[in-house]
């Protein structure tokens, strides 16, 4: 490690389970970067599906795919998280290859549903695997490493996808789709190097219902708050570019600069920003601060409307900076609550429900963004600000309620009021 520059040394996990998780994540996210860059254009330009139908098909697939999360998490609990993660991530790679067989809208919906369902299952199993091979503070630290690497991998994959975009040919698109599928299969096989996670102990499940997560109302409320706060991603990727182009005098290239800033900040600071957020108390505190920062960023974005170009750029830049700090805190806080409020024998189910809430927020955000921000202008940003602020401020009380219903919780883990 001595030869590694100090400013990136913290991005490389120590030898052990976290490094294995990171290696798998790098392969998977490079593949994901390829998909992000080429999928829509492949279906619109090569297959000939209208863009509106592509959007509709992806929405249908996302809604159907969400339903797989909790059952897949249960499978991870029963079979063992490592076994399930290998199977589901590899399965996702195989389903990605079916994109190359699509010839029309119906086939697109079927293939997309298979891919997103496999992704939901893989996310639940990978979440359970992180819980199974790490303990305590290492869980949030592991997820922080994985998120930093995600941005690196997606960026590499997007560059590779740019090759296909340049040549704009069906063979180029198909080759990269198969390459992405292979990368996912490799990512699944890398988990063979991770410690084995045995199935959930029968004694831990025998005294209660099988689908324990469906009866956990406090955790469901935590997941609902997550569905609201995860909208910070859609604010950046959906609402902001349209806002800049249609409602501000700022040049459109500002959005590319904002994305670059966001990527660099997440890569460099996600691990550091997660320190202190490893337990329920710290996670709730992080979400409270996240809500405040996201509300402020929405206000700054709103200020860019009807301003001279230079002032709009300043407001957007400040808003983007505030946003990324809120995003970093959101990630850390959500991971802490997802893991620390879940019983060890049902981590798969709980990560499945939490992942489903993340998907729900991601599905809702584009509709909410276009309706509020583009439909109503700057008042729409203020609505977003109020909703995000309320969710953040509610997090400590909801987390305290949820923790009070957990068995064998340490008395000293008081939560902030």
């Amino acid at each position: 490690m001595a030869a590694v520059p100090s400013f990136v040394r913290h991005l490389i996990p120590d030898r052990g389970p976290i490094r294995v998780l990171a290696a798998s994540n790098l392969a998977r996210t490079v593949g994901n970067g390829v998909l992000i860059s080429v999928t829509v254009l492949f279906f619109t330009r090569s297959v000939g599906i209208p863009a509106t139908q592509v959007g509709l098909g992806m929405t249908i697939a996302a809604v159907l795919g969400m339903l797989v999360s909790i059952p897949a998490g249960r499978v991870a609990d029963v079979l063992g998280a490592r076994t399930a993660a290998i199977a589901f991530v590899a399965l996702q790679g195989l389903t990605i290859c079916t994109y190359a067989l699509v010839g029309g809208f119906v086939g697109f919906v079927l293939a997309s549903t298979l891919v997103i369902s496999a992704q939901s299952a893989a996310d639940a199993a990978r979440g359970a695997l992180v819980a199974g091979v790490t303990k305590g503070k290492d869980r949030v630290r592991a997820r922080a490493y994985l998120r930093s690497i995600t941005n690196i991998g997606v960026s590499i994959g997007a560059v590779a996808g740019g090759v296909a975009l340049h040549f704009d040919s069906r063979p180029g698109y198909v080759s990269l789709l198969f390459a992405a599928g292979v990368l996912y299969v490799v990512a699944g096989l890398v988990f063979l190097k991770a410690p084995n996670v045995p199935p959930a102990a029968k004694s831990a499940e025998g005294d209660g219902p099988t689908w324990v997560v469906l009866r956990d109302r406090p955790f469901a409320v935590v997941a609902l708050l997550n569905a609201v706060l995860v909208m910070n991603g859609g604010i950046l990727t959906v609402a902001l570019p349209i806002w800049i182009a249609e409602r501000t005098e700022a040049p459109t290239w500002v959005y590319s600069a904002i994305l670059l800033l966001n990527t660099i900040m997440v890569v460099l600071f996600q691990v550091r920003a997660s320190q202190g957020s490893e337990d329920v108390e710290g996670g709730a505190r992080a979400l409270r601060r996240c809500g405040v920062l996201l509300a402020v960023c929405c206000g700054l974005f709103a200020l860019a409307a009807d301003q001279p170009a230079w002032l709009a750029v300043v407001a957007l830049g400040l808003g983007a900076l505030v946003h990324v700090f809120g995003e970093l805190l959101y990630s850390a806080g959500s991971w802490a609550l997802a893991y620390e409020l879940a019983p060890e024998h049902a981590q798969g189910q709980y990560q499945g429900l939490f992942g489903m809430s993340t998907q729900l927020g991601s599905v809702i955000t584009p509709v909410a963004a276009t309706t509020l921000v583009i439909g109503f202008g700057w008042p729409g940003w203020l609505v977003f600000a109020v909703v995000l602020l309320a969710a953040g401020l509610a997090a400590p009380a909801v987390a305290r309620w949820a923790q009070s219903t957990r068995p064998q919780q340490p008395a000293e883990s008081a939560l902030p009021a």
Side-chain angles (χ1 to χ4, degrees):
M1 299 291 288
V4 179
S6 59
F7 72 95
V8 297
R9 191 174 302 159
H10 72 282
L11 299 177
I12 304 176
D14 296 332
R15 291 184 182 275
I18 297 180
R19 185 175 290 189
V20 173
L21 296 173
S24 172
N25 201 55
L26 181 60
R28 184 182 63 84
T29 54
V30 170
N32 189 41
V34 171
L35 291 178
I36 290 172
S37 62
V38 306
T39 302
V40 172
L41 288 179
F42 168 69
F43 289 119
T44 56
R45 296 177 67 87
S46 181
V47 181
I49 303 174
T52 53
Q53 291 188 10
V54 171
L56 175 62
M58 294 179 73
T59 301
I60 294 172
V63 172
L64 294 176
M66 286 192 299
L67 304 179
V68 176
S69 295
I70 297 176
R74 171 64 181 164
V75 170
D77 292 331
V78 172
L79 298 182
R82 190 185 74 163
T83 300
I86 293 170
F88 288 143
V89 175
L91 177 62
Q92 188 179 357
L94 296 177
T95 59
I96 287 168
C97 295
T98 66
Y99 277 156
L101 305 177
V102 170
F105 176 70
V106 174
F108 168 66
V109 173
L110 291 175
S112 296
T113 300
L114 288 174
V115 171
I116 295 179
S117 297
Q119 176 183 330
S120 297
D123 287 348
R126 289 188 303 108
L129 180 60
V130 172
V133 301
T134 59
K135 298 297 180 183
K137 294 182 177 181
D138 283 343
R139 288 173 175 170
V140 172
R141 188 166 67 92
R143 291 302 295 263
Y145 276 118
L146 297 185
R147 185 153 191 268
S148 294
I149 290 170
T150 292
N151 279 30
I152 296 172
V154 168
S155 298
I156 295 172
V159 171
V163 176
L165 298 182
H166 174 71
F167 291 104
D168 194 22
S169 66
R170 182 176 179 85
Y173 287 126
V174 170
S175 296
L176 279 178
L177 288 173
F178 278 114
V182 170
L183 283 168
Y184 273 81
V185 172
V186 170
L189 295 177
V190 168
F191 287 142
L192 290 169
K193 293 290 186 178
N196 187 42
V197 179
K202 293 183 179 180
S203 60
E205 300 176 346
D207 297 331
T210 299
W211 298 97
V212 60
V213 71
L214 299 180
R215 296 170 178 256
D216 193 336
R217 284 178 291 180
F219 191 83
V221 178
V222 171
L224 180 61
L225 292 182
N226 177 67
V228 174
L229 291 173
V230 77
M231 295 173 79
N232 76 82
I235 285 175
L236 182 70
T237 60
V238 178
L240 190 57
I242 303 175
W243 176 252
I244 292 173
E246 296 189 5
R247 295 299 188 98
T248 78
E249 299 298 323
T252 54
W253 59 259
V254 168
Y255 181 64
S256 296
I258 286 173
L259 282 184
L260 180 62
L261 170 69
N262 182 273
T263 300
I264 293 173
M265 293 285 287
V266 171
V267 169
L268 294 180
F269 296 111
Q270 183 64 76
V271 175
R272 294 177 181 176
S274 301
Q275 294 174 0
S277 304
E278 298 90 348
D279 54 16
V280 176
E281 179 181 358
R285 184 170 56 246
L287 291 184
R288 181 177 61 193
R289 293 172 178 171
C290 156
V292 173
L293 289 174
L294 293 178
V296 171
C297 95
C298 288
L300 288 168
F301 290 152
L303 286 176
D306 302 321
Q307 300 295 335
W310 71 269
L311 188 55
V313 170
V314 171
L316 292 168
L318 290 175
L321 189 62
V322 174
H323 175 277
V324 74
F325 283 112
E327 180 184 348
L328 294 172
L329 289 171
Y330 158 73
S331 297
S334 63
W335 297 327
L337 298 191
Y339 285 122
E340 296 306 308
L341 293 174
E344 292 301 319
H345 71 276
Q347 282 284 354
Q349 290 184 46
Y350 276 72
Q351 301 318 310
L353 176 60
F354 208 78
M356 188 168 70
S357 72
T358 299
Q359 293 170 309
L360 176 63
S362 299
V363 169
I364 291 173
T365 306
V367 177
T370 52
T371 301
L372 293 174
V373 174
I374 306 307
F376 294 96
W378 65 264
W381 282 114
L382 299 187
V383 173
F384 262 122
V386 170
V387 171
L388 293 167
L389 178 63
L393 294 180
V398 172
R400 183 168 56 248
W401 171 41
Q403 191 177 33
S404 71
T405 65
R406 307 301 99 171
Q408 299 178 349
Q409 290 295 319
E412 64 271 15
S413 296
L415 289 167

